[in-house]
Amino acid sequence: MKLSTGYVRASGYAHKVRRVLFALTRGKVEPKEVVRAAGELNQRIFEKLQELSVEKSDVVRITVPFKIEDGRIAWDYENLHVEVYRKSEEEKLAKAMEEVEEREKQLEERIKELEDVAVRLKALSEELIEKLERLKEEHTSLKLRAEE
């Protein structure tokens, strides 16, 4: 398997690594292991970003292969790759990242709205089923009384 953050500001790489890793390993490893492995990888990435003199406002794209062995995530650090796009050199890309971040925020808000609607719909559905069952019971009891 391979973790890839896509383009992300250097200041937000750790959060993105955690989110992507949770998505990639859902149902395959325990959440506690994901947190441990993400922390370990983020420390390695942090050191690499310092070596490369990456600024918080620069844009990075991180890829690293990994395996799941006995319920643990094992990183292939030999193939850890960090691409750096410096804000000072790539103003256009930095501006695009601002747009991407804003759209991600809007998407998360929309997803939350839809989740709330889904919860309300489920409650309404359950209420409707309850009322239908009561109606069926009342109808059956009326039928039985009429037959007496």
Side-chain angles (χ1 to χ4, degrees), residues 40-53:
E40 178 185 299
L41 177 61
N42 282 332
Q43 180 61 39
R44 190 68 68 102
I45 293 169
F46 178 76
E47 292 165 4
K48 189 141 181 136
L49 294 178
Q50 283 187 317
E51 287 171 22
L52 297 169
S53 300

Side-chain angles (χ1 to χ4, degrees), residues 10-127:
S11 61
Y13 79 89
H15 178 65
K16 185 74 173 227
V17 163
R18 222 175 3 265
R19 276 186 22 214
V20 170
L21 189 58
F22 266 109
L24 287 172
T25 61
R26 183 172 287 129
K28 298 175 186 167
V29 296
E30 294 292 321
K32 189 175 180 179
E33 171 57 13
V34 175
V35 171
R36 182 209 62 79
E40 178 185 299
L41 177 61
N42 282 332
Q43 180 61 39
R44 190 68 68 102
I45 293 169
F46 178 76
E47 292 165 4
K48 189 141 181 136
L49 294 178
Q50 283 187 317
E51 287 171 22
L52 297 169
S53 300
V54 174
E55 300 285 326
K56 288 181 179 183
S57 59
D58 292 341
V59 172
V60 296
R61 182 167 62 177
I62 301 160
T63 56
V64 59
F66 68 95
K67 293 179 191 168
I68 298 174
E69 298 170 338
D70 300 322
R72 288 183 57 86
I73 296 168
W75 299 110
D76 177 3
Y77 289 119
E78 294 298 314
N79 290 302
L80 169 63
H81 186 66
V82 178
E83 295 174 51
V84 180
Y85 301 88
R86 307 218 180 261
K87 184 174 181 182
S88 58
E89 300 164 3
E90 301 286 343
E91 284 294 328
K92 195 172 184 180
L93 182 59
K95 183 151 178 62
M97 279 307 302
E98 288 176 13
E99 290 177 30
V100 167
E101 289 169 350
E102 180 59 32
R103 287 184 181 166
E104 277 185 352
K105 183 180 173 189
Q106 290 173 355
L107 178 62
E108 286 179 14
E109 288 171 1
R110 296 297 181 274
I111 288 171
K112 175 79 172 94
E113 288 172 10
L114 288 173
E115 286 172 343
D116 292 345
V117 169
V119 167
R120 290 196 313 266
L121 281 173
K122 183 178 180 202
L124 285 171
S125 173
E126 289 168 356
E127 183 181 342

